[in-house]
Amino acid sequence: MDEPFAEFREVSVTDPLRQGDVLEAVAPDATMWQRHLLVVTADCDFAHAKHQGRVTCVPMLAAEEYLAEMQIPKLREQLTKQQVRELRQILSKSAAPTITERRLREWPSEQEPMDIVSMLTLQPAEAQRAKAALEAIRMMDTQADSLKESMRLFVEAQLIGINPPKRENAVKRVKEKLREPYAQPPGDALFLTAIGPGQDSGYFAYLRHIEQVWEPAISLGPSHQNVSYRRISRMQDRFTHALVQKFAMVFMSIGLPKQYEDLRDLHADYLGDDLT
């Protein structure tokens, strides 16, 4: 029988703070960026106190939070582009004034689609198509309270827009796009099924957001007294190494223009010129 799998392992209060440790905020109202953190400070920095007491971490977002924050906006733009493109084709054949793509994208959120169509003075058939596109864009931009609600709105918006797909295809398009980060994670994130005991609903470590925690504010055990975080687990070495490697790739050195380097050196040369 296969042994139970988990990306983390439990640690005791006697284990020192190390890279790969998972921290949980004590405050119940902590933001999603601070609720669960992964320590990326190197073990050698801990051993030689090079970190000056500042522990560098990245957030571990609940899967729904990550998808709603990072993937829903991308999917929204992809779906609205098709409707905006259809609108531009309709307007190009009419006497309506030239309207920028950006304006077509924003307009339905500011005015009712029927009012917009009335201002465009389109022929009845084209007016109906334009109204459908505007209503679809408006629905996609509707504020949703959850990931599930966003997905529902995206499906329904496709069905009321121009050239609507079958419902099953609209559902498939939304689901497949939101499933991509799991099997094909972007360079700045990695999915984890669990990050600690009882924390097994799925998470994404997001590597572009950095938090620093004062080391004395971290409890290595269950105590909550006078601390901001408590350690709840440590990632298995393979996952720690994979996450730190991806973190390094995100922030690898990027070549900068020679003009910048010349001005940088000039600033350094001027430093201290007024000292006697």
Side-chain angles (χ1 to χ4, degrees):
M1 182 180 292
D2 293 339
E3 295 183 1
F5 169 79
E7 296 98 330
F8 71 91
R9 63 184 178 89
E10 297 189 38
V11 288
S12 71
V13 295
T14 59
D15 290 321
L17 192 65
R18 287 290 181 264
Q19 186 178 79
D21 283 359
V22 179
L23 311 180
E24 182 178 64
V26 171
D29 59 347
T31 70
M32 67 178 187
W33 303 106
Q34 299 169 324
R35 190 179 304 126
H36 291 104
L37 302 177
L38 175 76
V39 175
V40 294
T41 297
D43 288 348
C44 63
D45 288 349
F46 281 121
H48 300 288
K50 294 179 181 178
H51 63 309
Q52 300 295 315
R54 294 184 292 271
V55 180
T56 302
C57 308
V58 295
M60 307 182 85
L61 308 177
E64 288 199 4
E65 293 174 334
Y66 171 81
L67 294 174
E69 183 74 17
M70 301 297 172
Q71 301 302 320
I72 284 294
K74 296 178 184 178
L75 179 55
R76 177 182 292 113
E77 289 307 309
Q78 289 179 5
L79 295 175
T80 54
K81 276 184 179 180
Q82 179 181 349
Q83 300 302 316
V84 170
R85 186 164 54 247
E86 296 285 356
L87 271 175
R88 290 184 67 83
Q89 290 182 358
I90 292 171
L91 296 177
S92 68
K93 301 173 185 177
S94 72
T98 301
I99 304 173
T100 66
E101 183 170 318
R102 179 177 178 179
R103 183 57 185 155
L104 289 175
R105 176 70 182 79
E106 297 172 348
W107 205 356
S109 296
E110 301 170 4
Q111 288 184 268
E112 292 290 338
M114 182 58 75
D115 295 338
I116 297 174
V117 170
S118 298
M119 287 185 279
L120 296 175
T121 61
L122 301 171
Q123 294 297 318
E126 295 301 283
Q128 191 62 33
R129 284 168 52 81
K131 180 174 176 289
L134 292 164
E135 287 179 342
I137 295 171
R138 184 182 180 90
M139 181 173 286
M140 290 176 199
D141 282 337
T142 300
Q143 185 66 34
D145 295 329
S146 66
L147 176 67
K148 185 175 181 179
E149 178 63 9
S150 290
M151 295 172 69
R152 187 192 70 80
L153 288 171
F154 287 173
V155 170
E156 298 302 326
Q158 292 179 76
L159 299 179
I160 66 173
I162 298 177
N163 300 323
K166 293 182 178 179
R167 175 172 287 274
E168 56 265 33
N169 291 335
V171 171
K172 182 179 179 181
R173 185 176 185 183
V174 172
K175 289 171 66 174
E176 286 187 348
K177 191 62 183 176
L178 293 178
R179 285 174 174 171
E180 284 181 7
Y182 289 85
Q184 300 174 320
D188 57 7
L190 183 68
F191 176 74
L192 301 164
T193 62
I195 59 172
Q199 309 284 355
D200 57 359
S201 57
Y203 297 81
F204 279 89
Y206 183 61
L207 307 175
R208 289 192 184 277
H209 183 103
I210 298 175
E211 292 281 339
Q212 285 201 325
V213 181
W214 185 238
E215 188 171 359
I218 301 171
S219 170
L220 302 185
S223 173
H224 287 192
Q225 189 173 5
N226 299 323
V227 295
S228 301
Y229 286 89
R230 67 183 185 93
R231 180 177 61 185
I232 60 172
S233 68
R234 177 174 294 165
M235 302 306 295
Q236 300 281 4
D237 287 348
R238 176 173 293 186
F239 291 96
T240 296
H241 296 159
L243 284 161
V244 172
Q245 182 184 55
K246 286 174 73 73
F247 177 76
M249 293 293 289
V250 170
F251 294 101
M252 280 182 66
S253 177
I254 298 173
L256 298 172
K258 186 177 185 303
Q259 295 95 323
Y260 160 79
E261 294 178 351
D262 291 342
L263 287 171
R264 177 199 61 195
D265 293 343
L266 185 62
H267 277 265
D269 291 340
Y270 282 154
L271 182 64
D273 278 357
D274 57 346
L275 295 176
T276 57

